[in-house]
Structures are given as structure tokens and as C-alpha cells.
Amino acid sequence: MTKIQELGSSLQKLLSTLKKNREMIPLEVLKSHYQQPYYALIREINKTASAFAKAVLINHLILNPDISLDKQAAVINQVIAESGIDRQMSSCISRTYNVEQLYQMALELRQKIECALWPYIDLKTCLVFDLDNPDAEPVTYNTLTRQICRDGIWENQELDLQWKFLFYPNARIHPGDESVKEEKEENGYDYTYGTENSCTPVRSGNGENLPHTAVPLLENGFYQPLQGT
């Protein structure tokens, strides 16, 4: 059982208990006579729900190890802030007591984060030339996601890069780098290779060995706590 599955299972049990208590006992009684255990249950739900959502968001999330961790953290936290996901998650579990819906919301946010991080990941998109077959067309490959691009579509396929020449068209371009933008306009050239506006779901599990971990990237308390009402 994965960490996400374990947290999801624990959260569902807690929510089932909360649902049963609310159905069997009037709310005012829960908040008065059973105040201590009731609010302890709410705190445990909030703790587990937050851990569950974070686990979905950061599970092998791919980052560019050559770019400032602070920059990428800022992007992630901005996406979360603009999404309003904290209140949506709290409302979801309070109304439905359904972990699957919470999971789908976290997955949707995860996709938005991946798209927002793509300009950094795209810096690792390269053209792979086969030195043993110089007449062959180069392959567009991203060394972080380990995907190749065919007809504008990214596909999971790890390449053997031995005896290959790798050219990184976007290597000098950093998102938001105005000096590079001005240099391009002045000299009339473009380093991009048509991928900078693309976003793609990353291959599951291929970020586990990156030197940067996404664990500290999420601001503390991004999940809006479920209240006792």
C-alpha cells in the first residue's frame, strides 16, 4: 500500500466516523456534551486530509535541479493560492465525506502545478543526435521527464544517451529572464524549439531520484481546516 493509499484509507475511516456521529447525535450535543472527542476527531481529520492532499501534490513531482528551489516553490504556492483549493477541499469533505472527490480535486491541482512548472522543466528539452547515424533526424527528448516528443505529443520513452549528442535549444532561456528576451529580439534569433508553451503530465515515479524534493515547497497550512459545524 502506498503512502497516498494509506492516508486515504485512514481519512475515509475518520470521515465515516464523523458522518455517523453527525447523523446520530444533534450537532449542539456533539459540540457541548461530546466537545472534547468531537473536536479531537475534527483535528485528526484536518491533519490527515492535509497530509493526504500534500502527498498527492508532491508525489515524485519533477523539479529542475538547476533552477532555484525558491523560484519553483513560489510558482507552486502561487498556483495553490489562486486555485482556492483550501476552502474547496474543506467544503468537499464536510458535505460529501468522500475521499475520492478530495483525491480528484488534488489531482486537478497537481496538473495545474505541473503546467506552471513546465517552463522550468522545458529547459531540459533537448535534441538528441545519433553519432552513429548522423543522417537520422534528431529526437526531441526531455531528460527530466524522460519523454520524447512525436508530432507535438509527449510520450514516455527513456532513451539510451550513450554515443549521442545532446543540444539544448532552451538552455539559455529562463522563465521571466528579460535580458535574454531583449537579446533575442536584438539579434533576431530564437532558441526555443516549439515546446515552451506546452504542458504535459509527467511520467509517474520518474522524479524520485532528483536532488530536490518538493516536500518543503508547500506553504504551511495551505489546507483550510474543517470546522466543527
Side-chain angles (χ1 to χ4, degrees):
M1 180 180 291
T2 66
K3 180 180 179 180
I4 293 176
Q5 291 173 328
E6 182 178 347
L7 287 169
S9 177
S10 297
L11 179 58
Q12 189 61 70
K13 291 177 182 178
L14 291 169
L15 289 173
S16 296
T17 299
L18 177 64
K19 182 175 184 292
K20 182 178 180 180
N21 287 343
R22 286 178 171 178
E23 290 175 344
M24 297 182 64
I25 304 173
L27 184 59
E28 58 271 19
V29 177
L30 286 173
K31 297 173 67 176
S32 56
H33 188 72
Y34 297 102
Q35 181 182 31
Q36 185 173 349
Y38 177 65
Y39 282 104
L41 175 61
I42 294 294
R43 288 193 296 271
E44 188 63 24
I45 288 174
N46 284 327
K47 177 182 176 181
T48 307
S50 180
F52 174 74
K54 286 182 179 180
V56 175
L57 294 183
I58 66 177
N59 183 43
H60 298 332
L61 182 65
I62 291 184
L63 304 173
N64 187 330
D66 296 332
I67 300 297
S68 165
L69 187 62
D70 289 340
K71 284 186 178 181
Q72 295 176 89
V75 169
I76 293 172
N77 286 314
Q78 182 179 357
V79 171
I80 292 173
E82 293 177 351
S83 71
I85 193 68
D86 51 356
R87 294 176 180 82
Q88 294 176 32
M89 287 181 170
S90 177
S91 176
C92 171
I93 62 175
S94 181
R95 293 194 325 268
T96 69
Y97 309 97
N98 192 319
V99 173
E100 178 60 29
Q101 290 190 26
L102 184 65
Y103 176 67
Q104 293 302 322
M105 293 172 66
L107 279 184
E108 182 179 352
L109 180 58
R110 163 78 180 229
Q111 292 174 351
K112 291 181 180 180
I113 290 174
E114 289 173 346
C115 287
L117 288 174
W118 175 246
Y120 297 110
I121 305 305
D122 195 30
L123 296 175
K124 293 298 185 179
T125 296
C126 64
L127 299 177
V128 180
F129 295 85
D130 189 344
L131 298 180
D132 292 329
N133 189 9
D135 294 329
E137 287 290 327
V139 176
T140 302
Y141 183 65
N142 189 286
T143 56
L144 284 180
T145 65
R146 302 181 191 137
Q147 294 175 319
I148 64 173
C149 187
R150 289 194 179 99
D151 299 323
I153 299 176
W154 289 95
E155 302 174 358
N156 295 335
Q157 183 177 330
E158 186 169 359
L159 296 182
D160 180 2
L161 300 179
Q162 188 174 12
W163 301 108
K164 303 295 191 301
F165 174 75
L166 276 58
F167 171 64
Y168 292 85
N170 301 328
R172 295 184 58 186
I173 301 174
H174 288 243
D177 191 337
E178 292 299 322
S179 63
V180 173
K181 180 180 179 181
E182 293 173 359
E183 181 182 354
K184 288 166 59 182
E185 293 175 349
E186 179 181 349
N187 293 278
Y189 51 61
D190 189 352
Y191 289 112
T192 63
Y193 194 69
T195 61
E196 62 179 338
N197 294 321
S198 303
C199 77
T200 176
V202 296
R203 174 177 163 193
S204 176
N206 63 356
E208 59 185 340
N209 296 318
L210 291 181
H212 285 164
T213 172
V215 172
L217 296 186
L218 302 178
E219 292 179 343
N220 291 331
F222 89 94
Y223 167 78
Q224 186 74 19
L226 173 67
Q227 303 303 314
T229 56

